[in-house]
Amino acid sequence: MTATTSTPAPESATAAGVSQRRILRTEIPGPRSRELHERKLAAVSAGVSTGLPAYVVAGQGGILVDADGNQLIDFGSGIAVTTVGNGNRRIIDAVSKQIAEFTHTCFMVNPYEEYVAVCEKLNELTPGDHPKRSALFNSGAEAVENAVKVARHYTGKDGIVAFDHAYHGRTNLTLAMTAKNMPYKHRFGPFASELYRVPMAYPYRWPGGPQHCADEAFSYIIDQIHAQIGEENTAAVIIEPIQGEGGFIVPPRGFLPALAQWCRDHDILFIADEVQSGFCRSGDWFACDDEGVVPDLMTTAKGIAGGMPLAAVTGRADIMDTIHPGGLGGTYGGNPVACAAALASIETMEQEDLRGRARQIEATLKDRLGRLADTYHQVGEIRGRGAMVAMELVTDRETKEPAAALTAAINKACHARGLVTLTCGTLGNVFRFLPPLSIDDTLLGEGLDILEEAFAASV
Ligand code: PLZ
């Protein structure tokens, strides 16, 4: 089965080099990758694991080339990072030019235009017409840390509310906000204090049923904040508008606007963590756009700079500007090469309508996954938006018992066939799709054919 329409990959994605075809020359991983993996085991901490140890030597559009010359179809984008695709001509040119000019000054010492231009773009593209300011950092976790710093400083309050199934990073403060124990938190505590967790509005598993999820979750959460923390002690509520690592959980319509409004009514900041869902991934610039939710602060990273490390906090000018000069920063934050990549990546998103492309990918994914669901009772739910779609697997649709072993088996079977796939979910039973938006329809269709094969071979 292949996708019905065939859209050629955007021009800048296929500028040179790697053919957009899956090629299997050896088993996966092949001998050269296995050799490299031996070296990895001897040199790299065991704590840093690799999902598919086929060592990459090149990448372009929807293809990753490994050390044995295999060409793998990429359905992961390095966890939602290479949204514009590897080998993007605009990024290569912008980064090469910037490297030749200068690579680093530290913006806090000697400033440069690229940093300012990225902040201008962020202020323009993020939700809301109000005056905004941004600050740049290196990683999603660092952006989240800084959003919390800003929220506490501005409100003079300590309490931060995060959700079940949340993922916000691996630093000590963000681990306190991340929900899942294994592998993230296990024996890494004690964690930062004044972090509180409330249930997520998770329609598929909401005890009262999906139709009651928005209202019941909202009232339960605000009651808990009132009773256990107190609005007057709560600085911010932080939420991923579509949860990423926790299982691509999409809150029901109405939940996010109600929560944002309640926060506004109680002088609590509403922080949207769009590190994974942002920058066209969900079919909008940001997942908040879908229901017109305007956060006070937003964190971004990943897709912003096409693989160069860059992250940001963007927020209301009155909040961001209460911080004293020197209160925010870091040696590398807003590195000029990363900023050049961000400007090129945002230009690509604008020029090639990658929001539209994400929606086309959503239609193809949902159509093909829907057919899988007609065949296999293990597909419990298909959800997500744009090129951020997942299926939750269960052993039985009635009991909704999570099928983590099956999820892992299908993932492995995809890998063996040259398809780079990722799983997620607190219970390890969610299969997620995060292809680069520069993938062409033929590769997307072939990847989904492989998924069907892998599913059939694993059930
Ligand atoms: N907030 C919503 O998705 C990173 C992590 C993978 P960093 N998600 C992928 C892993 O196992 O480490 C993420 C996210 C959301 C924050 C982060 C953290 O971003 O750039 O990894 O620090």
Side-chain angles (χ1 to χ4, degrees), residues 79 138-142 144 167-171 174 183-184 240 242-245 273-277 299 301-302 311 432:
I79 322 191
N138 302 296
S139 67
E142 202 188 348
V144 171
Y167 185 94
H168 296 293
R170 291 176 182 264
T171 58
T174 58
Y184 309 124
E240 299 154 78
I242 297 176
Q243 286 185 320
E245 303 306 304
D273 181 349
E274 293 251 15
V275 165
Q276 189 154 165
S277 56
T299 53
K302 291 192 186 274
R432 60 172 152 175

Side-chain angles (χ1 to χ4, degrees), residues 15 44 56 76 120 123 147-148 154 275-276 279 295 347 357 383 395:
V44 180
V56 172
E120 287 168 349
N123 299 345
V148 170
Y154 172 79
V275 165
Q276 189 154 165
F279 282 104
E347 190 186 314
R357 180 62 188 144
R383 57 176 178 250
T395 55

Side-chain angles (χ1 to χ4, degrees), residues 157-243:
K157 305 191 266 185
D158 297 334
I160 302 290
V161 176
F163 288 79
D164 282 344
H165 309 288
Y167 185 94
H168 296 293
R170 291 176 182 264
T171 58
N172 186 269
L173 174 64
T174 58
L175 273 183
M177 303 158 79
T178 289
K180 186 172 174 174
N181 178 49
M182 267 313 238
Y184 309 124
K185 304 174 79 157
H186 183 63
R187 297 179 63 152
F188 291 134
F191 301 112
S193 64
E194 290 309 309
L195 271 301
Y196 298 88
R197 191 171 310 288
V198 292
M200 177 60 184
Y202 184 174
Y204 182 63
R205 293 188 181 275
W206 190 256
Q211 68 280 22
H212 301 296
C213 178
D215 291 346
E216 289 181 7
F218 173 69
S219 19
Y220 187 82
I221 289 162
I222 62 172
D223 286 354
Q224 269 206 331
I225 297 176
H226 177 75
Q228 297 187 12
I229 319 167
E231 294 84 345
E232 65 281 23
N233 303 314
T234 305
V237 170
I238 180 165
I239 190 164
E240 299 154 78
I242 297 176
Q243 286 185 320

